[in-house]
Amino acid sequence: AALQYTELGWYIIPVWGARDGHCACPRGAQCKDDATGHPIHDLVPNGLADATIDPDTIRSWWAQYPLAIPAVALVPSGLIAVEINDCDQEKLDALEAEYEPLPETLQLRRACDRTELLFFSTPSFQIKSTFRGITIHSNGHIVLPPLSQTDASQNQWILGCAPGDLLVAELPESWLEDLRRPSLSGRI
């Protein structure tokens, strides 16, 4: 799956998965990171700075850690994530009424009652903000599910909103204008 994501121009890093509700890294239940997937530091000692689209590097990583999970590094991939908790739909509706509706784009459904919408942004910029109750960020990474997944208990692409179904939409300029303001950047 990691190589398929690089075909989209997404920069990938390998991350740990979860095992028995805890991080699958050697620290297991003692790991301070949650089970959302932190980088496998043996492979990417510089974290997101080691993200790549190079197929040989990615094959080497997965040969060493076949159970690694791919994650996309947002900034080098030019992506912005909009995270919506199930209870926040009214907040999103209000933002869309004020600015403009978000275009149809790729959507990931998380096991934790959260949906992540992925948008393209040119030029790429770093932001992590709570924008009127909705988390929007381009820093960090997002753990990716396999492109073909049957286990409904795991994170998965929403049917019809996966790579191959549609392209990543651009975040509307009306949204970007406010997000680029220094008062929002970095605020959470």
Side-chain angles (χ1 to χ4, degrees):
L3 288 173
Q4 291 174 304
Y5 286 120
T6 63
E7 293 171 7
L8 300 171
W10 294 0
Y11 285 72
I12 300 298
I13 61 169
V15 299
W16 293 104
R19 183 177 39 225
D20 300 325
H22 301 285
C23 184
C25 78
R27 293 175 290 181
Q30 272 47 118
C31 181
K32 298 293 182 212
D33 291 301
D34 60 19
T36 58
H38 64 86
I40 299 175
H41 294 289
D42 289 349
L43 301 179
V44 288
N46 302 305
L48 292 173
D50 291 328
T52 187
I53 58 173
D54 178 62
D56 293 333
T57 301
I58 290 171
R59 281 187 200 96
S60 171
W61 287 342
W62 266 263
Q64 294 174 67
Y65 285 82
L67 297 179
I69 296 172
V72 60
L74 295 172
V75 168
S77 301
L79 297 173
I80 294 176
V82 176
E83 298 179 11
I84 305 162
N85 292 318
D86 285 354
C87 60
D88 290 337
Q89 187 60 49
E90 287 180 13
K91 293 175 186 174
L92 180 62
D93 292 344
L95 284 170
E96 287 184 314
E98 181 176 344
Y99 291 95
E100 65 185 276
L102 291 174
E104 192 172 26
T105 193
L106 302 184
Q107 296 182 33
L108 283 163
R109 181 69 182 161
R110 300 295 183 191
C112 58
D113 298 329
R114 187 178 79 224
T115 301
E116 289 178 313
L117 287 68
L118 293 180
F119 292 94
F120 185 70
S121 172
T122 308
S124 179
F125 67 101
Q126 285 199 16
I127 186 167
K128 181 166 186 177
S129 177
T130 299
F131 190 56
R132 303 207 190 142
I134 302 293
T135 301
I136 299 175
H137 67 97
S138 66
N139 60 334
H141 67 275
I142 290 182
V143 177
L144 297 168
L147 285 173
S148 59
Q149 184 160 338
T150 57
D151 183 356
S153 68
Q154 299 296 316
N155 301 327
Q156 58 187 306
W157 292 107
I158 291 177
L159 187 63
C161 297
D165 296 334
L166 20 120
L167 298 174
V168 179
E170 283 203 47
L171 193 61
E173 187 60 36
S174 59
W175 288 66
L176 288 171
E177 285 175 16
D178 273 358
L179 289 171
R180 286 188 181 120
R181 278 199 253 142
S183 63
L184 287 174
S185 188
R187 190 179 68 186
I188 200 85

